[in-house]
Amino acid sequence: MNELEEILKYLKEKKYRLTKKRNLILYFFLNSEKPLCVREIQDMFLKLNISINKTTIYRELFFLKKEGIIREVKLIDNVMRYEITPENHYHHLVCLNCKKIENVILEGDLDKQEKMILKTKKFKILYHILEFYGVCSKCEKRSFHTKNIS
């Protein structure tokens, strides 16, 4: 069973309606390599010649977030984006030039740090956000070539 089928099964078991637009929004998220904003979701519907208003999109996003299926991601540009809630926690690499967003899983001491915070500060962390901003390899190469030409 693929991830879409699992999500649809979960929603069906909870007696939620599986509308065409809800299914398409889930499909968009599952087939996107980056978090999506409302405008991008609306554009995806337009490419399929399906009209949808922003209110419907926001309503669906609120519902999917409430059900724990998606999560909010706010990056440096302060645009609210959404993505499927991952099984494994990951962070984002954001290219400041081309705006490419890539997922990255950090191996290491974050769990250890969270345990230390709980122990020393008596603060239970429910989640955290950590994003890395820089320049991707393609933009770095373009920048290098541009510098060498002049």
PDB file of all heavy atoms in Angstrom, residues 36-44 53-55 57-58 61 79-82:
ATOM      1  N   LEU A  36       4.726  23.131  -0.048  1.00  0.00           N
ATOM      2  CA  LEU A  36       3.915  23.916  -0.983  1.00  0.00           C
ATOM      3  C   LEU A  36       3.165  25.028  -0.263  1.00  0.00           C
ATOM      4  O   LEU A  36       2.658  24.831   0.839  1.00  0.00           O
ATOM      5  CB  LEU A  36       2.889  23.007  -1.664  1.00  0.00           C
ATOM      6  CG  LEU A  36       3.441  21.839  -2.473  1.00  0.00           C
ATOM      7  CD1 LEU A  36       2.307  20.920  -2.918  1.00  0.00           C
ATOM      8  CD2 LEU A  36       4.237  22.343  -3.664  1.00  0.00           C
ATOM      9  N   CYS A  37       3.071  26.177  -0.924  1.00  0.00           N
ATOM     10  CA  CYS A  37       2.251  27.271  -0.398  1.00  0.00           C
ATOM     11  C   CYS A  37       0.889  27.231  -1.105  1.00  0.00           C
ATOM     12  O   CYS A  37       0.696  26.504  -2.086  1.00  0.00           O
ATOM     13  CB  CYS A  37       2.940  28.622  -0.595  1.00  0.00           C
ATOM     14  SG  CYS A  37       3.108  29.154  -2.302  1.00  0.00           S
ATOM     15  N   VAL A  38      -0.040  28.014  -0.608  1.00  0.00           N
ATOM     16  CA  VAL A  38      -1.402  28.029  -1.154  1.00  0.00           C
ATOM     17  C   VAL A  38      -1.395  28.386  -2.636  1.00  0.00           C
ATOM     18  O   VAL A  38      -2.089  27.762  -3.442  1.00  0.00           O
ATOM     19  CB  VAL A  38      -2.294  29.000  -0.344  1.00  0.00           C
ATOM     20  CG1 VAL A  38      -3.636  29.214  -1.036  1.00  0.00           C
ATOM     21  CG2 VAL A  38      -2.492  28.476   1.068  1.00  0.00           C
ATOM     22  N   ARG A  39      -0.599  29.389  -3.007  1.00  0.00           N
ATOM     23  CA  ARG A  39      -0.540  29.806  -4.421  1.00  0.00           C
ATOM     24  C   ARG A  39      -0.088  28.659  -5.313  1.00  0.00           C
ATOM     25  O   ARG A  39      -0.635  28.436  -6.391  1.00  0.00           O
ATOM     26  CB  ARG A  39       0.398  31.004  -4.586  1.00  0.00           C
ATOM     27  CG  ARG A  39       0.456  31.538  -6.012  1.00  0.00           C
ATOM     28  CD  ARG A  39       1.543  32.580  -6.219  1.00  0.00           C
ATOM     29  NE  ARG A  39       2.833  32.247  -5.652  1.00  0.00           N
ATOM     30  CZ  ARG A  39       3.704  31.373  -6.197  1.00  0.00           C
ATOM     31  NH1 ARG A  39       3.415  30.752  -7.314  1.00  0.00           N
ATOM     32  NH2 ARG A  39       4.872  31.139  -5.620  1.00  0.00           N
ATOM     33  N   GLU A  40       0.908  27.891  -4.866  1.00  0.00           N
ATOM     34  CA  GLU A  40       1.407  26.767  -5.664  1.00  0.00           C
ATOM     35  C   GLU A  40       0.339  25.683  -5.807  1.00  0.00           C
ATOM     36  O   GLU A  40       0.184  25.100  -6.886  1.00  0.00           O
ATOM     37  CB  GLU A  40       2.671  26.188  -5.019  1.00  0.00           C
ATOM     38  CG  GLU A  40       3.862  27.119  -5.116  1.00  0.00           C
ATOM     39  CD  GLU A  40       5.038  26.709  -4.240  1.00  0.00           C
ATOM     40  OE1 GLU A  40       4.812  26.160  -3.134  1.00  0.00           O
ATOM     41  OE2 GLU A  40       6.188  26.942  -4.665  1.00  0.00           O
ATOM     42  N   ILE A  41      -0.414  25.446  -4.752  1.00  0.00           N
ATOM     43  CA  ILE A  41      -1.497  24.454  -4.822  1.00  0.00           C
ATOM     44  C   ILE A  41      -2.564  24.930  -5.796  1.00  0.00           C
ATOM     45  O   ILE A  41      -3.040  24.163  -6.644  1.00  0.00           O
ATOM     46  CB  ILE A  41      -2.097  24.206  -3.414  1.00  0.00           C
ATOM     47  CG1 ILE A  41      -1.042  23.554  -2.511  1.00  0.00           C
ATOM     48  CG2 ILE A  41      -3.353  23.347  -3.498  1.00  0.00           C
ATOM     49  CD1 ILE A  41      -1.405  23.515  -1.045  1.00  0.00           C
ATOM     50  N   GLN A  42      -2.911  26.204  -5.708  1.00  0.00           N
ATOM     51  CA  GLN A  42      -3.909  26.761  -6.626  1.00  0.00           C
ATOM     52  C   GLN A  42      -3.427  26.665  -8.076  1.00  0.00           C
ATOM     53  O   GLN A  42      -4.200  26.307  -8.967  1.00  0.00           O
ATOM     54  CB  GLN A  42      -4.198  28.215  -6.237  1.00  0.00           C
ATOM     55  CG  GLN A  42      -5.459  28.763  -6.854  1.00  0.00           C
ATOM     56  CD  GLN A  42      -5.846  30.103  -6.246  1.00  0.00           C
ATOM     57  OE1 GLN A  42      -4.988  30.881  -5.810  1.00  0.00           O
ATOM     58  NE2 GLN A  42      -7.130  30.386  -6.215  1.00  0.00           N
ATOM     59  N   ASP A  43      -2.148  26.941  -8.312  1.00  0.00           N
ATOM     60  CA  ASP A  43      -1.575  26.821  -9.660  1.00  0.00           C
ATOM     61  C   ASP A  43      -1.644  25.388 -10.179  1.00  0.00           C
ATOM     62  O   ASP A  43      -1.885  25.158 -11.364  1.00  0.00           O
ATOM     63  CB  ASP A  43      -0.128  27.310  -9.689  1.00  0.00           C
ATOM     64  CG  ASP A  43      -0.012  28.821  -9.550  1.00  0.00           C
ATOM     65  OD1 ASP A  43      -1.042  29.524  -9.687  1.00  0.00           O
ATOM     66  OD2 ASP A  43       1.114  29.304  -9.299  1.00  0.00           O
ATOM     67  N   MET A  44      -1.445  24.422  -9.298  1.00  0.00           N
ATOM     68  CA  MET A  44      -1.511  23.018  -9.706  1.00  0.00           C
ATOM     69  C   MET A  44      -2.929  22.647 -10.154  1.00  0.00           C
ATOM     70  O   MET A  44      -3.098  21.906 -11.121  1.00  0.00           O
ATOM     71  CB  MET A  44      -1.052  22.105  -8.569  1.00  0.00           C
ATOM     72  CG  MET A  44       0.422  22.209  -8.286  1.00  0.00           C
ATOM     73  SD  MET A  44       0.848  21.237  -6.824  1.00  0.00           S
ATOM     74  CE  MET A  44       2.627  21.255  -6.948  1.00  0.00           C
ATOM     75  N   ASN A  53     -11.130  27.824  -5.101  1.00  0.00           N
ATOM     76  CA  ASN A  53     -10.830  29.109  -4.481  1.00  0.00           C
ATOM     77  C   ASN A  53      -9.919  28.912  -3.272  1.00  0.00           C
ATOM     78  O   ASN A  53      -9.789  27.810  -2.743  1.00  0.00           O
ATOM     79  CB  ASN A  53     -12.114  29.883  -4.130  1.00  0.00           C
ATOM     80  CG  ASN A  53     -12.968  29.148  -3.132  1.00  0.00           C
ATOM     81  OD1 ASN A  53     -12.464  28.608  -2.149  1.00  0.00           O
ATOM     82  ND2 ASN A  53     -14.272  29.117  -3.379  1.00  0.00           N
ATOM     83  N   LYS A  54      -9.288  30.005  -2.874  1.00  0.00           N
ATOM     84  CA  LYS A  54      -8.322  29.935  -1.772  1.00  0.00           C
ATOM     85  C   LYS A  54      -8.979  29.474  -0.475  1.00  0.00           C
ATOM     86  O   LYS A  54      -8.362  28.779   0.319  1.00  0.00           O
ATOM     87  CB  LYS A  54      -7.646  31.290  -1.566  1.00  0.00           C
ATOM     88  CG  LYS A  54      -6.595  31.597  -2.589  1.00  0.00           C
ATOM     89  CD  LYS A  54      -5.902  32.897  -2.260  1.00  0.00           C
ATOM     90  CE  LYS A  54      -4.834  33.200  -3.286  1.00  0.00           C
ATOM     91  NZ  LYS A  54      -4.126  34.444  -3.015  1.00  0.00           N
ATOM     92  N   THR A  55     -10.230  29.844  -0.274  1.00  0.00           N
ATOM     93  CA  THR A  55     -10.921  29.446   0.955  1.00  0.00           C
ATOM     94  C   THR A  55     -11.005  27.933   1.058  1.00  0.00           C
ATOM     95  O   THR A  55     -10.774  27.370   2.131  1.00  0.00           O
ATOM     96  CB  THR A  55     -12.344  30.062   0.988  1.00  0.00           C
ATOM     97  OG1 THR A  55     -12.244  31.472   0.817  1.00  0.00           O
ATOM     98  CG2 THR A  55     -13.041  29.751   2.286  1.00  0.00           C
ATOM     99  N   ILE A  57      -8.961  25.781  -0.327  1.00  0.00           N
ATOM    100  CA  ILE A  57      -7.610  25.286  -0.074  1.00  0.00           C
ATOM    101  C   ILE A  57      -7.259  25.458   1.403  1.00  0.00           C
ATOM    102  O   ILE A  57      -6.796  24.511   2.053  1.00  0.00           O
ATOM    103  CB  ILE A  57      -6.571  25.995  -0.969  1.00  0.00           C
ATOM    104  CG1 ILE A  57      -6.816  25.647  -2.446  1.00  0.00           C
ATOM    105  CG2 ILE A  57      -5.153  25.602  -0.551  1.00  0.00           C
ATOM    106  CD1 ILE A  57      -5.972  26.444  -3.422  1.00  0.00           C
ATOM    107  N   TYR A  58      -7.517  26.645   1.948  1.00  0.00           N
ATOM    108  CA  TYR A  58      -7.216  26.882   3.364  1.00  0.00           C
ATOM    109  C   TYR A  58      -8.012  25.942   4.269  1.00  0.00           C
ATOM    110  O   TYR A  58      -7.494  25.427   5.256  1.00  0.00           O
ATOM    111  CB  TYR A  58      -7.489  28.337   3.751  1.00  0.00           C
ATOM    112  CG  TYR A  58      -6.378  29.281   3.366  1.00  0.00           C
ATOM    113  CD1 TYR A  58      -6.545  30.229   2.374  1.00  0.00           C
ATOM    114  CD2 TYR A  58      -5.142  29.212   4.015  1.00  0.00           C
ATOM    115  CE1 TYR A  58      -5.522  31.097   2.025  1.00  0.00           C
ATOM    116  CE2 TYR A  58      -4.107  30.073   3.668  1.00  0.00           C
ATOM    117  CZ  TYR A  58      -4.301  31.007   2.680  1.00  0.00           C
ATOM    118  OH  TYR A  58      -3.282  31.861   2.339  1.00  0.00           O
ATOM    119  N   LEU A  61      -6.354  22.574   4.070  1.00  0.00           N
ATOM    120  CA  LEU A  61      -5.077  22.590   4.784  1.00  0.00           C
ATOM    121  C   LEU A  61      -5.304  22.557   6.291  1.00  0.00           C
ATOM    122  O   LEU A  61      -4.615  21.836   7.018  1.00  0.00           O
ATOM    123  CB  LEU A  61      -4.257  23.816   4.384  1.00  0.00           C
ATOM    124  CG  LEU A  61      -3.782  23.850   2.934  1.00  0.00           C
ATOM    125  CD1 LEU A  61      -3.094  25.174   2.632  1.00  0.00           C
ATOM    126  CD2 LEU A  61      -2.875  22.677   2.613  1.00  0.00           C
ATOM    127  N   VAL A  79       6.624  32.960   3.982  1.00  0.00           N
ATOM    128  CA  VAL A  79       5.463  32.404   3.309  1.00  0.00           C
ATOM    129  C   VAL A  79       5.154  31.063   3.975  1.00  0.00           C
ATOM    130  O   VAL A  79       6.036  30.218   4.107  1.00  0.00           O
ATOM    131  CB  VAL A  79       5.732  32.197   1.795  1.00  0.00           C
ATOM    132  CG1 VAL A  79       4.577  31.473   1.132  1.00  0.00           C
ATOM    133  CG2 VAL A  79       5.996  33.538   1.123  1.00  0.00           C
ATOM    134  N   MET A  80       3.903  30.898   4.414  1.00  0.00           N
ATOM    135  CA  MET A  80       3.529  29.640   5.049  1.00  0.00           C
ATOM    136  C   MET A  80       3.421  28.558   3.985  1.00  0.00           C
ATOM    137  O   MET A  80       2.729  28.714   2.991  1.00  0.00           O
ATOM    138  CB  MET A  80       2.199  29.786   5.790  1.00  0.00           C
ATOM    139  CG  MET A  80       1.851  28.569   6.602  1.00  0.00           C
ATOM    140  SD  MET A  80       3.061  28.182   7.884  1.00  0.00           S
ATOM    141  CE  MET A  80       2.776  29.511   9.021  1.00  0.00           C
ATOM    142  N   ARG A  81       4.154  27.495   4.206  1.00  0.00           N
ATOM    143  CA  ARG A  81       4.125  26.339   3.322  1.00  0.00           C
ATOM    144  C   ARG A  81       3.683  25.132   4.137  1.00  0.00           C
ATOM    145  O   ARG A  81       3.718  25.155   5.357  1.00  0.00           O
ATOM    146  CB  ARG A  81       5.504  26.102   2.728  1.00  0.00           C
ATOM    147  CG  ARG A  81       5.925  27.163   1.748  1.00  0.00           C
ATOM    148  CD  ARG A  81       7.328  26.874   1.196  1.00  0.00           C
ATOM    149  NE  ARG A  81       7.666  27.779   0.128  1.00  0.00           N
ATOM    150  CZ  ARG A  81       8.071  29.026   0.308  1.00  0.00           C
ATOM    151  NH1 ARG A  81       8.199  29.512   1.520  1.00  0.00           N
ATOM    152  NH2 ARG A  81       8.357  29.800  -0.720  1.00  0.00           N
ATOM    153  N   TYR A  82       3.347  24.080   3.421  1.00  0.00           N
ATOM    154  CA  TYR A  82       2.865  22.868   4.070  1.00  0.00           C
ATOM    155  C   TYR A  82       3.517  21.668   3.409  1.00  0.00           C
ATOM    156  O   TYR A  82       3.851  21.702   2.226  1.00  0.00           O
ATOM    157  CB  TYR A  82       1.339  22.766   3.940  1.00  0.00           C
ATOM    158  CG  TYR A  82       0.633  23.980   4.486  1.00  0.00           C
ATOM    159  CD1 TYR A  82       0.437  25.116   3.693  1.00  0.00           C
ATOM    160  CD2 TYR A  82       0.185  24.015   5.803  1.00  0.00           C
ATOM    161  CE1 TYR A  82      -0.181  26.238   4.197  1.00  0.00           C
ATOM    162  CE2 TYR A  82      -0.449  25.136   6.313  1.00  0.00           C
ATOM    163  CZ  TYR A  82      -0.631  26.245   5.504  1.00  0.00           C
ATOM    164  OH  TYR A  82      -1.242  27.362   6.006  1.00  0.00           O
TER     165      TYR A  82
END
